[in-house]
Amino acid sequence: MAEVLVLIDHADGEPRKLSLQLLTAAKQLAEDSGDTVAAVWLGPGASDAAERLGSFGADKLYHWDSDDAYGYVTLPQVEALEAALEASGADTLFFASSNHVKDVAARLAIRVGAGVITDVTGLAPGDDGRLVATKEVFGGEKITESSVAADAKQFIGIASNAFAAEEDGSGAPETVALDVELSEAATAATVVSVEKVASADRPDIGEAAIVVAGGRGLGDESKFGLMEQLADVLGAGVGASRAATDAGWYPHRYQIGQTGRTISPMLYIGAGISGAIQHRAGMQTSQHIVAINKDPEAPIFQIADFGVVGDLNQVVPKLTEELTSRKG
Amino acid sequence: MKVLVPVKRVPDTAGEKSFDPNDRTVDRESVESVLCPVNEFAIEEAVRLKENHGAEVTVLLVGPESAQPVVRKALSYGLDAGLQITDDAIAGSDALGTARVIAKALEGQEFDVVLFGNQSTDARTCLVPAAVAELLGLPSLTYARHLEVGEGKVTVHREHEEGWDVVESTLPAVVSVVEAINEPRYPSFKGIMAAKSKPLEVSSLADLGVEPDQVGLANAAASVHEVRDRPPKEAGTIVEDDGSGSAAAQLADWMVEKKFV
């Protein structure tokens, strides 16, 4: 019986939603192959999170409680995860396919000779015992199936919302403290401070189940207020097209598209966005797409599950109102 | 100060993409190819380092001979020299294989900062900058939305879900930038003309000392064994609003039916 490792990405002491999805995915695969699931928590907070991780599928929890995990850039996490990999003898690592975590996977893959597949939306056991990973490429135009070679460890990065997180009610996992001695190189880049700018009440667009996005058709900055009101009724994240971020109406960090973020929510609602290919490349893997646009010829309607041809100034506030009353 | 900017040739996002049915690699000759749009932010940042610190900037591209216009395009923004690594054995490399070639090319260069784009618009794995840093034993200051290079040290604001980390690091370092970092200029006519005569060195794997069994499709740790088109989407429901916002009620009903509310 082998262990599969799941690196838990966390913020403010809470595992991120995507990390719980990883645990469930790993648990389901492990049950088929008779493996067990070991979570890895780097930085303080493991003991408080242990029970929760157990209930989502972790049989064991490797932890390194040092502040150094996030006090320096990436390398302490790489070295601690390498210690976990050695302690467990695991051949498979699941990680959140989000930006900073990908760096950890890339650096560790070089160290241990692993193969990495990122942005995975589906997993199945292959005939040769290796995982077959499905992912969408070219902004969702094509779908590929890939595997890691038999002689390399397989590092699989999972995309947001591809798997449902399910509590299976198991108890707290066995915990194992990792013994980590950092190399000198690991402390070359120091985190001096952390600037938090995102609204604490609004989820990040990378992991939100619902994303509301505004584009050029909003006409000016103030209309993003309408989008935020709609988002807050739905518990959604707020994104923007490049036209809107380049115009300075919304921060660049929320840009969805080929040069910005790629999102895959359960539901995307775009208003005043025509759906140029550069934007579609960042959102067309969304499971459901809603478009609100006054131009019936806008290309976004071709990929919309539900489209409203109309003035967003009327439709968006009305939708917020309708949803509020339905929730009531 | 010396700066290296690795760039990538990518299929135009708006172009029709196809895969070679035999080895399931991207058929890069059949599609219109461009300089990766994310590289433009790294190039702009390099131009600013030239303007403010007198940096000398070299563009690096790993790719076949036919990718040379992309190096010239990058030079047209005002960069100083080009280095292209061309070798048939590289074809089909995965992200880590490509990182090995880039790292070997960088080993032969003097530099203070390597400036990547955070992702390429085609594969978007984001793995290469960190993998190159690992191979060179350097800090990976990725997702930079702000960059300040000082004497022997660099300050970077690394974007993440909640905001950003302010990071200080020793040099040399590998940096990748996100599009929030700047607003790229267009190349000038003068820059486009000058790019044609900028020095451009072409090296093979043997020149770099890379063994062919480290790279290429056959040695990729991760490989693709099936490619298919995304299934066509069924036509959705389109309703026209009468000007009062009343269509919102129909949309809300649909969202309730789909259990989003």
Side-chain angles (χ1 to χ4, degrees):
Chain A
M1 208 167 67
E3 269 178 14
V4 299
L5 285 191
V6 178
L7 177 60
I8 303 298
D9 189 26
H10 52 89
D12 300 321
E14 288 288 327
R16 288 189 194 275
K17 207 175 75 182
L18 174 52
S19 291
L20 300 177
Q21 294 166 3
L22 293 185
L23 278 176
T24 302
K27 183 71 177 176
Q28 283 163 0
L29 285 161
E31 270 169 7
D32 294 338
S33 58
D35 294 335
T36 59
V37 176
V40 183
W41 181 287
L42 307 175
S47 57
D48 290 339
E51 194 152 327
R52 186 122 196 270
L53 299 174
S55 74
F56 280 90
D59 301 302
K60 192 191 269 189
L61 173 62
Y62 292 102
H63 59 100
W64 180 49
D65 300 338
S66 171
D67 283 325
D68 288 347
Y70 291 91
Y72 303 95
V73 177
T74 309
L75 275 172
Q77 294 170 64
V78 173
E79 295 183 0
L81 185 58
E82 188 176 11
L85 206 58
E86 271 170 30
S88 81
D91 187 45
T92 305
L93 167 73
F94 294 108
F95 63 96
S97 203
S98 55
N99 293 344
H100 288 209
V101 187
K102 283 177 170 180
D103 281 14
V104 177
R107 295 197 75 132
L108 185 57
I110 294 290
R111 286 189 184 205
V112 303
V116 188
I117 305 174
T118 61
D119 306 284
V120 170
T121 54
L123 281 168
D127 298 336
D128 54 358
R130 308 302 280 174
L131 291 168
V132 177
T134 306
K135 66 182 283 188
E136 310 199 17
V137 298
F138 294 129
E141 247 178 71
K142 307 269 182 192
I143 295 169
T144 62
E145 282 181 6
S146 354
S147 294
V148 172
D151 57 353
K153 287 185 189 291
Q154 43 188 2
F155 288 6
I156 309 288
I158 309 272
S160 266
N161 301 316
F163 297 89
E166 285 165 24
E167 283 193 83
D168 68 1
S170 321
E174 173 198 349
T175 58
V176 180
L178 294 166
D179 191 14
V180 181
E181 203 165 313
L182 292 182
S183 69
E184 200 179 316
T187 58
T190 312
V191 178
V192 182
S193 61
V194 181
E195 303 292 327
K196 294 199 173 177
V197 298
S199 157
D201 303 325
R202 216 170 277 142
D204 178 65
I205 56 173
E207 68 175 3
I210 304 177
V211 171
V212 169
R216 193 194 302 274
L218 265 61
D220 68 69
E221 190 177 344
S222 67
K223 300 288 163 45
F224 267 94
L226 298 179
M227 304 307 290
E228 290 181 343
Q229 285 162 15
L230 172 60
D232 291 345
V233 176
L234 291 163
V238 180
S241 71
R242 185 161 177 189
T245 58
D246 277 357
W249 299 344
Y250 216 60
H252 279 279
R253 52 185 283 108
Y254 302 111
Q255 196 243 114
I256 298 163
Q258 66 159 3
T259 60
R261 306 281 299 273
T262 305
I263 60 165
S264 52
M266 319 286 263
L267 174 65
Y268 162 100
I269 304 176
I273 290 180
S274 66
I277 182 77
Q278 290 80 2
H279 181 70
R280 294 211 304 271
M283 49 61 71
Q284 68 183 352
T285 60
S286 304
Q287 291 170 26
H288 293 87
I289 294 170
V290 168
I292 301 166
N293 202 298
K294 65 173 192 279
D295 174 11
E297 302 300 322
I300 195 154
F301 286 122
Q302 292 163 17
I303 56 166
D305 298 283
F306 198 102
V308 178
V309 179
D311 179 2
L312 66 90
N313 293 299
Q314 302 295 327
V315 177
V316 172
K318 196 73 199 278
L319 178 60
T320 306
E321 203 179 287
E322 292 282 345
L323 292 170
T324 308
S325 72
R326 276 165 174 76
K327 272 175 71 176
Chain B
M1 182 191 305
K2 288 202 161 67
V3 176
L4 254 294
V5 181
V7 299
K8 186 176 184 186
R9 179 180 70 155
V10 298
D12 187 348
T13 299
E16 184 76 28
K17 269 80 71 181
S18 66
F19 283 75
D20 184 321
N22 297 314
D23 63 6
R24 293 163 304 278
T25 59
V26 178
D27 183 352
R28 293 190 187 269
E29 305 306 322
S30 75
V31 300
E32 196 182 336
S33 295
V34 296
L35 169 69
C36 176
V38 185
N39 289 146
E40 290 173 18
F41 302 100
I43 290 169
E44 172 66 29
E45 210 55 26
V47 170
R48 292 180 188 192
L49 289 175
K50 270 182 79 68
E51 289 168 347
N52 302 328
H53 298 272
E56 224 175 278
V57 186
T58 301
V59 177
L60 168 66
L61 179 136
V62 176
E65 211 181 326
S66 60
Q68 204 170 99
V70 169
V71 183
R72 294 285 176 202
K73 171 80 196 270
L75 289 170
S76 73
Y77 289 86
L79 310 187
D80 300 302
L83 172 60
Q84 182 171 349
I85 313 301
T86 294
D87 202 305
D88 290 345
I90 296 169
S93 296
D94 65 359
L96 301 186
T98 305
R100 283 181 214 284
V101 179
I102 294 173
K104 271 289 181 190
L106 292 171
E107 268 176 26
Q109 304 286 317
E110 263 181 64
F111 62 86
D112 301 284
V113 180
V114 181
L115 270 179
F116 279 96
N118 72 304
Q119 60 187 344
S120 61
T121 56
D122 55 352
R124 311 187 82 156
T125 68
C126 306
L127 296 173
V128 172
V132 167
E134 180 64 31
L135 287 158
L136 296 172
L138 296 177
S140 43
L141 315 174
T142 48
Y143 309 100
R145 51 170 291 128
H146 174 79
L147 169 73
E148 242 175 273
V149 185
E151 199 58 50
K153 85 169 204 186
V154 58
T155 305
V156 156
H157 295 181
R158 294 186 72 215
E159 191 149 86
H160 53 62
E161 288 87 343
E162 283 76 35
W164 56 86
D165 290 350
V166 178
V167 165
E168 278 179 14
S169 168
T170 54
L171 291 173
V174 174
V175 175
S176 82
V177 303
V178 293
E179 59 126 39
I181 196 168
N182 59 41
E183 207 170 307
R185 280 166 276 189
Y186 292 104
S188 65
F189 180 69
K190 198 174 135 215
I192 293 166
M193 296 313 287
K196 295 177 177 161
S197 55
K198 293 276 172 74
L200 197 167
E201 191 187 327
V202 179
S203 297
S204 67
L205 290 183
D207 296 334
L208 300 181
V210 177
E211 295 299 328
D213 66 0
Q214 293 266 295
V215 299
L217 181 63
N219 302 297
S223 57
V224 174
H225 38 80
E226 192 186 308
V227 180
R228 55 180 184 266
D229 285 329
R230 185 180 177 73
K233 236 185 142 139
E234 275 176 49
T237 308
I238 308 288
V239 299
E240 206 158 324
D241 187 63
D242 60 7
S244 69
S246 61
Q250 285 167 271
L251 174 51
D253 288 341
W254 179 85
M255 288 170 67
V256 170
E257 182 199 315
K258 295 283 178 191
K259 300 196 172 20
F260 290 118
V261 185

